[in-house]
Structure formats: C-alpha cells, structure tokens
Amino acid sequence: MLSWHIYLQWCPEDFNHSTTLLAYEAYLRFLTHHLATLPPLPQHRTVLKGLTSSLAVDAFSACLRNHSPTKALELLEQGRGLFWSQLTRLRSPLDDVIASGSTGKMLADEFTQRTFAIRTALDSPGPDQHDRVCRLNVDLQGVVTRIRELPGLSHFLLPSPFSDLQQAACEGPVIIVNASKYGCDALVVLADRNPHHIPLSITKEGVRELSLKLGKLTVDAKSMDVTRKLAIFMRELWDEVLSPIVNFLQMVLPFQSRIWWCPTAEFSSLPLHAAASYRKGQQSLADLYISSYTPTLTALIRARRHDLPHSASKGKHIVGIGQATAKGENELVCVGAELATIEQRVDGLATFTRIEGQESCIAQVTEQLRTNEWVHFACHGIPNRKQPFESAFALHDGHFTIERIIRCELENAQFAYLSACHTTVGDEDSPDEVMHLASAMQFAGFRSVIGTMWAVDDAQANKIASTFYDNMKDESGCLDHTRAALALNETMKKLANIPFDQRILYIHLGA
C-alpha cells in the first residue's frame, strides 16, 4: 500500500506518464480492499487521512485531463466519503440477495448476523474491542465474497459504475466542482447523456483564498459594511467559478429547474448557491435555479430510495427539540419562540411534540428521532474541525455527537431542519470525508436536511423558520419534505429585510 502511495505522489503526475489513470485506479482498488478489513471506528479516520489525502480529487483531475469524464466520476465517488461508505456496508439492502434463491437467503441471514455483531461490538468499548471487531469484519468479508459468487451479484458492495451513478441526475443535473493542485474543474452529470466537462480558470490556491476571505467576512458579520463586502465576494465567486457553469446550464436546463452541487476540497466551504454577478440586468443563481447540495452521488441516490408518496404526508409526526441554556454556552433567548411559531405553522397538518429544557436530553432526543418523521433542532451547534466525530448539538445533559447520531437507524425519517450554527462544517484537514452534523443526519436516515454554513443569529432564526414552514405546504395543503429546496429558495427571496449573511447561510442537502 505504501509503495503505491509513493508512486502516485511522484511518478505519473510529475512526468505526465501514460500509466497515471491505471495507477489511480489500482490504488483506489487496493485502498477499498484494505478498508474493507478495518472496522469503521472513529480512530481509523487517521488511517483514512494518511492514505487518501487529496487522492480522489487528483484522480478526478487526471481523468478529465485524459478526456475520461465517466472514469473521473467513478474514481471520485470511490475515493470520497470513505468512512460513510464503510458504515453503509453494515446497512446494505439485501433484497436482491434474498431474491436469488435459498442460498442467497441463507447468506443474507449470515450477513445480517455478522453486521449486527459488528454494531454490537462497536457499542461495547473495551481493551479488546479492536481485535473483536477486526475478527468479525474478516468473517463479514467472507460472507460478502460468497454473495458475489451468486448469479447477478458479482458487484455486491463494490464501487458503482457510471451507469448507476448517473441515476443521481434523474431529477436534475449534479454539478461536481473539483479543486486539485493540478487544476480546477466542473463536471455536470446529466440524466440522458455523458457528463459535460467545464474547465475553470481559478486555481486551488485561489479557491483557498476565497474560503479564507469568506471565513473572515462571516466572523465579522455584525459589521455595518458586511453586506457590501459579501456582495463583492459573491460577484467574485460568480466570475471565478459560477459564470461558465451557468452559461452551460442555461443551454440545457429550463428556468427554475432543480440542480445539485457536489463540491470537493476547498469548494466545500463556499456558498455556491448564493453566487450572483450583481450587474444590471443579470439574475442571481437563486433566480435561475433551485439549488441543493449532496456530499456524494451515492448519498443522493440513497436519499431518494424507498421514498414515500406525497399522499403519505398526511398524519405526519414532527418533533421540535430546543435547548436555550446549554451548559457553557450563551443563552439562545429566541428558541422557545421559534418552536412555538413552528407549532403554529403545522397545526392541523401534523402532530407536533415539543422537547425543551431538561427534557432535551440525549436519551429522549434519540427516542424522539425514532418515532418522528420530521425533526427541528433549535440549539447550539458545536463544530469540532479537528475531531469531527465530536461535533454535536448541545443538549441539556451533554453533547449529542455525530458518533451518537450515526448509531441511530431511522426507518421513517424524512426531513430535518438544523437551526444551529455550523452544521455543515467538517474536518478542516479532510473536507472530502464530508464529516459534519448535516451529513450525519442524512446517514441516520433523513432524506432531506436544512443545514447551516456558519453562525446563526438567534434573533433571525425564528423569522426564517416561520416563512420556511409556510412554504413547505404542497398544492393540497399538506406538508411535503420534497419541497424543502424550493421552500428555502422562496423563503430567502421573501425575507429581504433579513441580514444578507443570515439569508445565505442556510443550504438544502438531499432529495
């Protein structure tokens, strides 16, 4: 493994060698095999960091430079979000395996037993936890190998080919925006044709500078001059990144269609959805299209799987979770009003449960997530950019961390609104692992999530949530989680009196 890592670092790219793509493909194949033998424990993220670094984004760039856009997509998907991919192995749907016959049913039972044993071991810390989980993981790989020997199942749990990944664009294009030291590119994935490659003039260092500039602006959000400075920033983002992408979209996509952004590396911290030229007679991106985000194409495909029909939106259960006075944090004086407003907006459309104060504890919240289709968090979001598994919602009795969230297996989860700070802020060293609170909620089962890119102003959150839930009603007057992206877009257009930095920090992820 180490020799391949060294090879990739100096040989193919430095000398433009003809084996570049073969090297990336082989390394990712070996990496996938290696990770399959490791248990998905938080401490193994250090292994992922050491082995992957910028591997996926560099492989993507190399493929595009070699005119292989479909291979670029396959390798990027294979090399990003590796921890989530590991965990997904433990929750793999087995319908096709069971349907293959009696042997398949037996192997499906074995697979279920092994994955249950691994989950139990992961929840049972101890000095021998690592060895126990490793042994169980090896047993699981044996079952997977036997499943792949069944007719039609040779690709069970293997990286998806382009023909499968293209399904992510079935409701609108997915736009990958990639930053590599070898160049920056956009790749537009379309449902009915090959991906379209758009080279970008900006460099990776230029993207990093934009990210740092935005960080300073949002920290200084209460400055009188911040709106003007943010507008200048959004124009720069438009000129440097969005303009050529939008020019192409306008040739192939109707006005007000939905689009999904899939940013990599330093692009992950930029509000692509809010870019605008701010020139006379020109529209902003939000005027042209309805933006959503997805950490990977596989995550978007999974978010649409087993979706309920819109008619099932009647009889919905919603829980509002508020914590205004978390230990060690500033008081959020508007939390109670925010939950009361939401309760008013959904009255007669859903059963609303309100959890606040001392009731807002980890055990109670975990149980409420299992019994409600929708959840609204109104509390402090605590990002940890060095140890992202410790990123958390601040509750009455402690931190509801990512590590706790991903242990939830929520069968009926539909929609989560995260009215908390920094819920899409991940690992500063490994942004392509997409490890943040919003992605954790997605992995737990929520198909549609509203997250935040920086600090939320408690005084404005109530106004935004109020208008948003009004916009979540479909034509029949029922609540519909598939309207979340459109509802957010409409909300931000209506609330022109809200400070600009607060209007653009909310983003939609998922279906």
Side-chain angles (χ1 to χ4, degrees):
M1 177 67 72
L2 182 59
S3 63
W4 274 98
H5 199 205
I6 293 171
Y7 178 69
L8 281 171
Q9 285 181 331
W10 67 268
C11 181
E13 294 286 10
D14 287 357
F15 297 99
N16 195 26
H17 199 276
S18 61
T19 61
T20 300
L21 300 193
L22 287 174
Y24 279 120
E25 197 168 356
Y27 185 82
L28 280 166
R29 184 168 63 250
F30 292 149
L31 177 63
T32 302
H33 179 76
H34 177 62
L35 292 178
T37 65
L38 285 176
L41 294 168
Q43 56 265 37
H44 287 133
R45 290 197 67 258
T46 56
V47 176
L48 295 181
K49 282 186 181 184
L51 291 176
T52 59
S53 185
S54 64
L55 177 64
V57 297
D58 291 343
F60 182 87
S61 176
C63 289
L64 292 181
R65 282 178 279 123
N66 284 273
H67 312 291
S68 300
T70 58
K71 180 59 68 177
L73 186 61
E74 291 172 348
L75 294 186
L76 184 71
E77 192 74 8
Q78 190 176 345
R80 295 186 75 232
L82 289 169
F83 187 83
W84 296 127
S85 297
Q86 278 186 291
L87 285 181
T88 300
R89 287 189 297 113
L90 303 182
R91 299 184 180 182
S92 176
L94 296 168
D95 296 350
D96 292 340
V97 180
I98 294 169
S100 68
S102 57
T103 302
K105 188 176 186 308
M106 179 192 70
L107 289 172
D109 290 341
E110 287 189 40
F111 184 93
T112 302
Q113 291 166 11
R114 299 295 193 282
T115 54
F116 178 78
I118 291 174
R119 285 195 295 268
T120 301
L122 290 172
D123 289 336
S124 306
D128 65 336
Q129 184 191 40
H130 176 274
D131 291 340
R132 281 186 288 123
V133 177
C134 277
R135 285 195 300 271
L136 289 167
N137 224 33
V138 170
D139 290 344
L140 178 63
Q141 289 311 302
V143 177
V144 169
T145 299
R146 288 155 62 199
I147 289 174
R148 288 176 185 162
E149 293 171 354
L150 297 173
L153 292 167
S154 60
H155 283 82
F156 179 72
L157 294 187
L158 287 176
S160 300
F162 170 72
S163 57
D164 289 349
L165 297 174
Q166 192 175 23
Q167 296 173 25
C170 66
E171 295 181 17
V174 180
I175 305 145
I176 298 165
V177 190
N178 187 65
S180 164
K181 61 185 175 183
Y182 302 109
C184 295
D185 304 90
L187 189 68
V188 184
V189 184
L190 300 152
D192 58 352
R193 68 194 83 173
N194 282 337
H196 180 77
H197 175 212
I198 303 170
L200 301 177
S201 59
I202 195 170
T203 63
K204 183 175 182 178
E205 187 55 40
V207 181
R208 191 191 306 276
E209 289 173 6
L210 283 176
S211 180
L212 291 173
K213 187 183 295 186
L214 178 68
K216 291 176 183 177
L217 285 173
T218 54
V219 166
D220 195 30
K222 294 191 182 298
S223 162
M224 293 291 290
D225 205 25
V226 71
T227 296
R228 184 184 66 84
K229 289 179 178 179
L230 270 174
I232 294 171
F233 175 87
M234 292 304 166
R235 176 186 289 184
E236 186 177 0
L237 182 60
W238 178 275
D239 291 343
E240 295 277 2
V241 181
L242 272 291
S243 181
I245 300 172
V246 172
N247 287 342
F248 171 74
L249 291 177
Q250 288 183 300
M251 292 190 292
V252 299
L253 200 62
F255 175 69
Q256 285 293 288
S257 295
R258 289 193 65 182
I259 59 175
W260 278 263
W261 295 100
C262 184
T264 76
E266 286 80 0
F267 277 119
S268 301
S269 64
L270 299 180
L272 303 172
H273 64 285
S277 71
Y278 290 105
R279 294 180 177 90
K280 188 175 181 179
Q282 293 193 22
Q283 294 175 302
S284 68
L285 181 67
D287 293 325
L288 295 169
Y289 300 112
I290 311 300
S291 287
S292 295
Y293 289 78
T294 185
T296 63
L297 275 72
T298 303
L300 180 55
I301 293 168
R302 191 167 56 241
R304 295 181 181 133
R305 194 171 290 159
H306 307 308
D307 214 353
L308 298 174
H310 293 182
S311 60
S313 59
K314 297 179 180 178
K316 201 173 301 299
H317 295 82
I318 304 176
V319 59
I321 298 166
Q323 184 52 248
T325 55
K327 185 177 180 181
E329 303 294 339
N330 295 331
E331 183 179 2
L332 301 173
V333 296
C334 298
V335 162
E338 183 174 338
L339 295 185
T341 297
I342 297 166
E343 187 169 14
Q344 276 187 330
R345 294 293 178 270
V346 303
D347 185 41
L349 302 173
T351 301
F352 188 85
T353 303
R354 190 166 162 176
I355 306 294
E356 286 184 274
Q358 294 183 6
E359 291 183 346
S360 175
C361 58
I362 293 168
Q364 174 78 319
V365 167
T366 302
E367 182 58 31
Q368 289 295 329
L369 291 183
R370 293 194 177 107
T371 56
N372 289 273
E373 295 94 355
W374 287 27
V375 61
H376 183 102
F377 277 93
C379 60
H380 279 289
I382 314 293
N384 188 327
R385 302 208 65 185
K386 293 295 185 184
Q387 299 292 333
F389 276 91
E390 298 304 314
S391 296
F393 297 109
L395 301 181
H396 173 70
D397 60 345
H399 286 181
F400 189 44
T401 63
I402 285 180
E403 192 169 357
R404 292 179 184 273
I405 293 168
I406 61 179
R407 292 178 184 174
C408 301
E409 293 189 39
L410 311 174
E411 294 183 2
N412 300 315
Q414 289 182 3
F415 173 69
Y417 187 120
L418 312 182
S419 185
C421 298
H422 307 292
T423 57
T424 65
V425 173
D427 189 331
E428 64 182 358
D429 296 324
S430 298
D432 286 306
E433 278 304 293
V434 206
M435 187 70 62
H436 49 62
L437 288 165
S439 63
M441 294 296 283
Q442 273 193 294
F443 181 81
F446 287 96
R447 302 176 178 102
S448 181
V449 179
I450 297 295
T452 54
M453 299 191 78
W454 51 83
V456 175
D457 184 344
D458 182 42
Q460 306 298 334
N462 182 24
K463 303 172 192 174
I464 293 170
S466 174
T467 304
F468 175 84
Y469 280 95
D470 275 343
N471 289 327
M472 284 293 278
K473 300 168 189 174
D474 64 17
E475 294 176 356
S476 66
C478 295
L479 294 171
D480 177 7
H481 72 276
T482 67
R483 285 183 54 84
L486 176 61
L488 184 62
N489 182 279
E490 292 177 344
T491 296
M492 298 315 164
K493 289 178 183 176
K494 289 179 182 177
L495 296 177
N497 59 326
I498 298 288
F500 186 48
D501 68 291
Q502 293 297 299
R503 273 187 282 140
I504 63 174
L505 70 88
Y506 293 88
I507 64 173
H508 173 258
L509 300 92

